[in-house]
Amino acid sequence: MPDPTNQPTTTEALSPILATKLYLPPPRLNAVRRQRLIERLNEGLHRKLTLVSAPAGFGKTTLISEWLAACEQVTPGLRVAWLSLDESDSDLARFLTYLVAALQTLAPNIGAGLLPLLHAQQKPPTESVLTSLLNEIAHLAERFVLILDDYHLVDAKEVDDALAFLVEHLPPQFHLVITTREDPNLPLARLRARGQLTEVRARDLRFNASEAAEFLNQGMSLRLSAEDIAALEDRTEGWIAGLQLAALSLQGHQDIPGFIRSFAGDHRYIVDYLVEEVLQRQPESIRQFLLQTAILDRFNASLCDAVTGQQDGGAQLEALERGNFLIVPLDEKRHWYRYHHLFAGLLTAHLLAEYPDQVAALHLRASDWYEQNDLSAEAIHHALLAQDFQRAATLIERAVPQMRRSRQEVTLLAWLQALPDEVFRFRPILSVHYAGTLLQSGILDGVEARLADAERWLGIGERPDVLSGNMIVVDEEEFRRLPAVVAMYHSAMALVLGNVADSVKYARQILELASDDDHLLHGAAESLLGLSFWTNGDLEAGQRCYTDGVIRLRKAGYISDAIGCTIALADIRLAQGRLRGAMNTYERGLQLANQGSVVLRGAADMLVGMSRLHCEWNDLDEAVQCLQRSGELGDFAGLPQNPYRWRVAMARIRELQGDVDGALDLLAEAEQVFTSDFSPNVQPIPALKARLWVAQNRLGDALNWVDEQGLSSEDDLSYLREFEHITLCRVLLAQHRNDRAGQSALEAMRLLSRLLQAAEAGGRLRSTMEILVLQAIAHHMLGDRADALMPLERALTLAEPEHYIRLFVDEGPPMADLLEEAAQRRVTPTYVRQLLAAFGEVSKRHESPRG
């Protein structure tokens, strides 16, 4: 479903690129040279991935920055790109944007054509983007290293999958380094087995006695005896952050041995003790500065001044760096800094304990600074931490269109969920944004409540008491579009819940409310009408509306949405029996999805649809190739239902190859990965399984399915259950074969007669032909060969223009007998000869008839 809450433009990301995330931290002054680890890292350059994984405070980032500085001499010409990650990079679009930005520090034009696509509404598949990016990288002559620092802060399977794809396909001149506190969800075992992984872990990073001595006496300018150093190294177990904090605490102590003996226990208690020592020994101005700026993930002098209310931020930062505090410069000019993560957390704990009433004000000052500097995401982050929800709501409402265009829906949903319900009651646009975000995320709970909040301000619904407050609107144009947008989400919600009448009602409201030139809303309305008519079995009206919807969406520039609608349009054509029309639709959709160097989402689905058609035309080789091409494009090239559709299509191929058990296994997998969308599920998996059970003569299983679904030949008929009722007829005919004395064949005949009338009335040619075929089989079973040829002749006449093959061949020997007789009577002679030839091809493949 398209998103009408913003216009389809390609723009930059929500916030400008934070250059500090791309700066390689310079080597620390007087750092300990760790030759043994540098040599290991140098050796790892010949592998794909270096993983530096250890808890906080083990010097991961410091080691990498020092190694890279040394690489200039050992590996001349080696280029380096750096990306410092944070929690917001869990949003896939943001992660990929920064990944490209990091690489552009090496080659300014690399990925230039991909960035606009990442921030367009029609975001291409991630694997397609990465494939194009890797192809560009492969043309670079220089060797280079990309460092992803603090990867543990990223928590998103999408990002893990994208990175796994990147690692799997790295060109030989590209080496990846990841620093993290916990192992990432990457195929590490496979990389390790292939010799493509270098690992540096906590046990490697710990300072040994000589490194601890160098660090304490030279790096920290202490004069400790060998015994004191050994005792301190033993207490901290070589943990670098603990040693650094201990060194800061030791400054000014007379009884050094006594001090060292005074702390013990695990790292957490050591740190608590040492930070307390460090803070108590600082002048009050520095102590206040440390505590107040601890709320910031990264900072510069201007931001520090804004948060502290002072004017000496630059001098304070220089003093902290000179004093060997756990502060990390983020650029060569030492303009931006961050605290060591461990140190920042402990400072924040002290701030909350000592000055809890100041925390909100500090966050608001940070939020103001970020807003003034056009860093919206950070401004929202700090407004939420300050619990100033009205300010956060205003910032979010301004940011939503850009967030949607840059596909940062994960972040947007988290922001909206952080706001109290009361905020939405006076903000109709934000309420609708929330409803749309929930619906787009597959979350139905809360959608109606958010829409109701908006409608009260439009004079719709009850509870006028809520209007006693003042409505807050950030964008007047969005408010003017609001009635049509509300109607669109109501229509979509009704369709999901199976209320077709309401879905049609609201879709028509959209057409009345939206301006004529709003192609997006008109496209959404026509698409929803098409889905509703399709669900009710009116295929002609569904096809007409859906075609109009696709045209409107393309005019609006929503190419991916148009591609998604193309899948449904082809499904409608299949139900209409128009195989060639469906193939043309798939081919146009595939062409639309191939956008130069990238393949848009939906391309894989087109190939799956083509495979189904080739199966019907009995061209199994081409059907298999289509599925293989679809699989090669990857999951990112498919819409949410593609894993399900792919397995169903492959199950059909297995069935036609005679492997019915394999087909059943694939259908079981398909059932597990099924995700509903707005299209009707007219061929449910249980019914497909029942047809295969009939093929295996597992009549008991098929009859159990009939009982579980509550099916009867006397049921009222509907399009949504038409496939199941036709399947019931197959079960009844199979039952007749096993018990010819029963009445099941006659029961099937009565049901088939009713089904035929309904299918013809709805213009559902595919169902009509199958019903006619089953009527012919039923007459043949009852010995009425003359009566069998009447429905068969009609089915052949309808099927010949579209060249149906498996529709007839799947019925096995009884159909072959009937076709032989039809050939003798010169019924569609050319077509019948082709069908009989297909029976011979099937026999060569030793296929079992479906029954």
Side-chain angles (χ1 to χ4, degrees):
M1 182 183 66
D3 174 14
T5 56
N6 54 80
Q7 295 305 309
T9 58
T10 298
T11 83
E12 296 178 356
L14 170 65
S15 298
I17 293 293
L18 291 170
T20 56
K21 289 167 64 70
L22 310 179
Y23 283 127
L24 168 62
R28 298 184 66 86
L29 299 175
N30 301 319
V32 175
R33 182 169 176 81
R34 315 199 68 188
Q35 190 61 36
R36 58 189 174 90
L37 297 181
I38 288 174
E39 289 176 359
R40 181 183 298 186
L41 294 172
N42 285 336
E43 293 170 1
L45 281 172
H46 302 290
R47 303 185 179 99
K48 282 189 174 184
L49 174 64
T50 292
L51 178 67
V52 184
S53 180
F58 276 87
K60 300 181 290 293
T61 301
T62 300
L63 171 66
I64 296 301
S65 64
E66 292 171 357
W67 166 61
L68 293 173
C71 275
E72 295 178 2
Q73 299 176 355
V74 178
T75 313
L78 182 69
R79 307 289 303 283
V80 177
W82 184 283
L83 175 55
S84 295
L85 298 166
D86 53 46
E87 289 88 346
S88 59
D89 296 312
S90 297
D91 191 292
L92 180 60
R94 179 182 171 98
F95 174 82
L96 293 176
T97 297
Y98 272 101
L99 178 68
V100 171
L103 294 173
Q104 287 182 341
T105 62
L106 304 176
N109 295 324
I110 198 166
L114 302 177
L115 280 175
L117 293 172
L118 288 175
H119 303 299
Q121 179 66 27
Q122 291 77 40
K123 175 184 162 188
T126 306
E127 285 190 5
S128 180
V129 172
L130 292 176
T131 298
S132 298
L133 185 61
L134 287 165
N135 288 337
E136 292 186 45
I137 292 170
H139 288 94
L140 297 178
E142 304 96 334
R143 295 178 62 194
F144 70 93
V145 176
L146 171 64
I147 295 91
L148 299 180
D149 194 31
D150 287 334
Y151 189 76
H152 59 275
L153 296 173
V154 174
D155 183 17
K157 184 179 184 299
E158 283 185 310
V159 176
D160 291 336
D161 291 344
L163 188 59
F165 181 86
L166 182 70
V167 171
E168 184 69 23
H169 299 89
L170 287 181
Q173 72 270 39
F174 186 167
H175 183 72
L176 182 64
V177 178
I178 296 175
T179 73
T180 178
R181 293 186 192 176
E182 56 188 40
D183 284 2
N185 291 318
L186 299 176
L188 298 180
R190 184 166 71 242
L191 291 169
R192 193 178 291 122
R194 293 176 179 175
Q196 295 173 340
L197 175 65
T198 297
E199 297 174 83
V200 178
R201 298 192 172 273
R203 61 181 177 273
D204 308 305
L205 289 164
R206 297 181 192 277
F207 275 168
N208 58 30
S210 63
E211 290 170 332
E214 182 181 350
F215 173 73
L216 293 167
N217 283 344
Q218 297 180 28
M220 299 300 292
S221 301
L222 296 174
R223 290 179 154 183
L224 302 183
S225 67
E227 292 77 10
D228 291 337
I229 291 171
L232 196 54
E233 196 270 338
D234 179 64
R235 286 285 190 272
T236 59
E237 298 179 352
W239 181 44
I240 300 171
L243 283 167
Q244 188 167 0
L245 286 168
L248 289 170
S249 302
L250 281 168
Q251 293 171 352
H253 266 285
Q254 299 300 317
D255 184 11
I256 290 177
F259 175 82
I260 294 173
R261 288 194 300 270
S262 66
F263 65 89
D266 63 25
H267 291 162
R268 181 169 64 87
Y269 295 116
I270 293 174
V271 170
D272 289 345
Y273 176 81
L274 294 177
V275 169
E276 184 68 26
E277 282 282 321
V278 170
L279 289 178
Q280 284 182 354
R281 293 181 173 276
Q282 302 311 313
E284 186 59 23
S285 61
I286 292 181
R287 189 174 188 279
Q288 289 296 317
F289 182 90
L290 288 168
L291 294 178
Q292 291 174 339
T293 56
I295 66 162
L296 302 170
D297 293 329
R298 57 181 62 84
F299 42 82
N300 60 19
S302 174
L303 177 54
C304 289
D305 288 345
V307 170
T308 63
Q310 303 298 318
Q311 300 298 320
D312 59 348
Q316 294 280 32
L317 292 174
E318 290 177 11
L320 289 175
E321 189 175 11
R322 283 196 309 270
N324 283 314
F325 278 78
L326 279 79
I327 182 171
V328 180
L330 296 176
D331 59 71
E332 293 179 358
K333 297 181 180 179
R334 283 170 161 75
H335 181 64
W336 282 88
Y337 294 85
R338 69 169 172 84
Y339 290 123
H340 188 289
H341 296 311
L342 186 70
F343 192 46
L346 291 159
L347 289 175
T348 302
H350 278 272
L351 173 66
L352 291 170
E354 297 180 34
Y355 305 105
D357 54 334
Q358 293 185 16
V359 175
L362 294 171
H363 280 297
L364 282 178
R365 293 174 192 171
S367 179
D368 286 338
W369 187 91
Y370 279 119
E371 182 187 8
Q372 291 167 15
N373 287 272
D374 297 324
L375 297 167
S376 302
E378 289 75 15
I380 293 166
H381 173 68
H382 283 282
L384 289 171
L385 290 175
Q387 297 191 349
D388 188 337
F389 297 119
Q390 292 300 335
R391 172 178 173 75
T394 296
L395 292 170
I396 293 169
E397 192 167 332
R398 289 175 184 161
V400 164
Q402 187 61 49
M403 292 291 288
R404 289 276 176 79
R405 283 194 288 270
S406 58
R407 302 305 299 264
Q408 298 186 56
E409 291 130 353
V410 173
T411 301
L412 177 57
L413 183 60
W415 285 346
L416 292 168
Q417 289 175 331
L419 296 175
D421 284 351
E422 186 64 24
V423 170
F424 297 98
R425 299 174 71 80
F426 299 94
R427 292 177 176 268
I429 296 174
L430 196 63
S431 294
V432 170
H433 285 326
Y434 197 178
T437 303
L438 288 170
L439 199 53
Q440 294 285 345
S441 302
I443 303 171
L444 302 185
D445 188 28
V447 173
E448 295 290 359
R450 296 282 78 87
L451 292 176
D453 284 340
E455 287 177 320
R456 294 186 186 106
W457 296 100
L458 298 174
I460 304 172
E462 301 176 355
R463 294 284 308 278
D465 56 296
V466 77
L467 304 183
S468 59
N470 293 322
M471 179 177 67
I472 302 173
V473 171
V474 174
D475 187 332
E476 291 293 339
E477 177 60 30
E478 285 296 298
F479 186 73
R480 284 190 286 272
R481 299 178 78 235
L482 197 59
V485 176
V486 168
M488 194 210 72
Y489 286 134
H490 271 312
S491 178
M493 186 69 173
L495 192 60
V496 170
L497 297 176
N499 188 342
V500 177
D502 275 359
S503 184
V504 171
K505 178 185 74 173
Y506 285 118
R508 286 177 172 152
Q509 282 184 15
I510 303 170
L511 296 175
E512 295 170 2
L513 295 167
S515 62
D516 291 339
D517 60 351
D518 195 330
H519 296 300
L520 177 59
L521 281 173
H522 276 272
E526 294 289 359
S527 299
L528 287 162
L529 284 171
L531 287 168
S532 299
F533 290 135
W534 179 18
T535 301
N536 273 345
D538 187 349
L539 301 185
E540 190 60 38
Q543 185 267 335
R544 185 174 60 253
C545 288
Y546 229 85
T547 300
D548 292 343
V550 171
I551 292 171
R552 282 281 200 165
L553 290 172
R554 290 192 65 177
K555 284 183 178 179
Y558 280 68
I559 304 303
S560 287
D561 290 313
I563 292 170
C565 291
T566 300
I567 302 289
L569 186 57
D571 283 345
I572 295 174
R573 294 193 187 282
L574 284 172
Q576 291 176 305
R578 302 174 184 173
L579 300 186
R580 301 184 193 278
M583 180 59 81
N584 289 336
T585 301
Y586 285 132
E587 288 172 345
R588 288 197 301 271
L590 188 59
Q591 184 178 15
L592 191 62
N594 283 300
Q595 300 287 318
S597 62
V598 298
V599 178
L600 295 180
R601 203 172 188 191
D605 303 76
M606 302 298 169
L607 290 164
V608 170
M610 291 177 180
S611 176
R612 292 171 59 194
L613 291 170
H614 286 297
C615 279
E616 180 56 49
W617 289 326
N618 204 36
D619 188 351
L620 291 195
D621 290 340
E622 188 62 31
V624 170
Q625 287 183 23
C626 284
L627 283 192
Q628 287 176 341
R629 288 168 58 200
S630 175
E632 289 167 0
L633 287 177
D635 290 341
F636 290 113
L639 296 166
Q641 275 211 333
N642 191 56
Y644 162 78
R645 288 173 174 266
W646 192 95
R647 286 167 174 80
V648 171
M650 183 55 78
R652 177 66 170 144
I653 289 173
R654 290 281 183 267
E655 177 191 3
L656 299 186
Q657 292 171 335
D659 182 7
V660 179
D661 287 334
L664 284 166
D665 290 341
L666 281 164
L667 289 180
E669 290 182 21
E671 203 164 17
Q672 294 299 314
V673 299
F674 177 79
T675 58
S676 62
D677 59 8
F678 296 100
S679 300
N681 183 21
V682 293
Q683 291 191 6
I685 292 291
L688 292 171
K689 287 181 178 178
R691 292 184 175 214
L692 291 176
W693 288 329
V694 170
Q696 291 181 312
N697 201 28
R698 292 167 56 180
L699 188 57
D701 289 331
L703 289 170
N704 287 338
W705 167 79
V706 172
D707 292 339
E708 290 168 2
Q709 301 303 316
L711 291 168
S712 164
S713 61
E714 304 301 321
D715 289 339
D716 293 334
L717 302 182
S718 69
Y719 172 60
L720 287 180
R721 304 207 75 181
E722 186 170 79
F723 186 79
E724 291 176 297
H725 280 117
I726 294 174
T727 305
L728 171 61
C729 292
R730 291 187 175 280
V731 176
L732 291 171
L733 293 176
Q735 196 173 15
H736 174 79
R737 282 196 297 270
N738 289 1
D739 181 12
R740 294 187 177 275
Q743 299 296 308
S744 58
L746 295 175
E747 188 178 349
M749 290 286 285
R750 289 193 296 270
L751 179 55
L752 286 168
S753 179
R754 291 201 300 133
L755 285 167
L756 180 62
Q757 184 177 359
E760 289 177 327
R764 301 188 290 276
L765 185 60
R766 175 62 180 80
S767 294
T768 297
M769 291 185 292
E770 184 178 2
I771 293 165
L772 289 169
V773 165
L774 288 179
Q775 283 182 329
I777 294 296
H779 282 299
H780 182 272
M781 282 184 175
L782 295 171
D784 303 327
R785 296 179 67 85
D787 289 339
L789 287 175
M790 293 176 60
L792 176 62
E793 181 175 355
R794 188 172 169 214
L796 289 167
T797 302
L798 293 173
E800 184 177 17
E802 301 294 333
H803 200 61
Y804 280 86
I805 299 293
R806 300 304 309 202
L807 174 70
F808 300 95
V809 174
D810 284 350
E811 303 305 329
M815 178 55 64
D817 290 345
L818 288 172
L819 288 173
E820 291 284 3
E821 191 160 341
Q824 294 173 12
R825 300 192 181 195
R826 305 290 297 168
V827 175
T828 59
T830 301
Y831 185 36
V832 168
R833 282 197 302 272
Q834 292 172 344
L835 292 174
L836 288 171
F839 269 99
E841 295 173 10
V842 169
S843 178
K844 291 178 182 178
R845 287 197 291 263
H846 306 287
E847 179 184 344
S848 300
R850 185 172 65 193

